[in-house]
Amino acid sequence: RNARSLFAYLVLHRGRSMHRDVLCGLLWGEQTDAEARKALRTALWRIRSVLEPDADSRGVYLRVDGPQISFPDEAPAWVDVAAFEAALSTTRLLPAGVLPEGEADGIRQAVALYRGDLLDGFYEDWCCVHRERLRLSYLTALERLLAHHRDRGEWLAAVSAARAIL
């Protein structure tokens, strides 16, 4: 569970280096410093043994540079959260109401990617913050679709978006 939690945190912060001390405090804050550092080393070993079992693959998914640890941007992995946020990124600055069709398609794509709460079953504080942020983004996307379909007189699509909000 600790390795899964660490991996999820690094993936959600893809491309950003995290200091070991920050990760220890965040994930093992109730333990002593020595216990937290040992737990971090063990979790890193577990992740690497699954994702980077060969010496040739080291650094592809997990980059460790001294005290800094990251999941690199260039890692060959599709991350649903990143795809969800990318699909919404172009529409955030557009006014409410009827959207250009390409923008509406981006919102529809993002809504289709959202399958439920992020990391359901994880209750760490860091996870709950991301979960709530993504849930609010999803609901905002649905509200944008609802307004778009309502203003275009597409009542069945508007009702569908409203039901998803409820």
Side-chain angles (χ1 to χ4, degrees):
R1 182 162 179 94
N2 287 339
R4 288 187 342 187
S5 188
L6 172 62
F7 183 67
Y9 186 83
L10 292 172
V11 169
L12 285 172
H13 295 89
R14 185 179 194 157
R16 286 187 260 168
S17 292
M18 301 292 173
H19 196 279
R20 287 177 182 265
D21 293 341
V22 171
L23 294 171
C24 285
L26 186 70
L27 300 171
W28 298 281
E30 72 285 350
Q31 297 179 1
T32 67
D33 288 347
E35 291 171 334
R37 282 192 299 275
K38 180 181 179 188
L40 177 61
R41 283 191 306 273
T42 301
L44 289 170
W45 173 82
R46 287 177 192 257
I47 294 168
R48 277 220 157 120
S49 67
V50 172
L51 294 178
E52 303 174 338
D54 304 323
D56 294 340
S57 62
R58 291 291 160 120
V60 172
Y61 295 101
L62 193 61
R63 187 158 301 144
V64 179
D65 297 318
Q68 301 293 327
I69 302 167
S70 67
F71 184 84
D73 273 332
E74 62 275 4
W78 181 81
V79 179
D80 57 353
V81 172
F84 173 77
E85 291 179 321
L88 290 178
S89 66
T90 61
T91 63
R92 291 199 172 132
L93 300 176
L94 295 174
V98 176
L99 299 167
E101 200 52 42
E103 304 302 330
D105 287 342
I107 293 176
R108 282 188 206 96
Q109 181 183 37
V111 165
L113 286 169
Y114 192 90
R115 300 271 188 230
D117 286 342
L118 173 73
L119 299 171
D120 196 22
F122 282 69
Y123 299 104
E124 291 86 355
D125 290 341
W126 69 264
C127 183
C128 293
V129 170
H130 285 288
R131 181 180 298 139
E132 187 61 20
R133 178 181 57 78
L134 292 168
R135 182 184 302 131
L136 290 174
S137 293
Y138 172 68
L139 290 172
T140 300
L142 286 170
E143 288 173 355
R144 300 287 309 270
L145 278 180
L146 173 60
H148 170 76
H149 292 305
R150 179 198 63 218
D151 292 349
R152 290 180 57 147
E154 298 168 343
W155 303 116
L156 290 178
V159 168
S160 178
R163 282 186 177 159
I165 290 169
L166 293 175

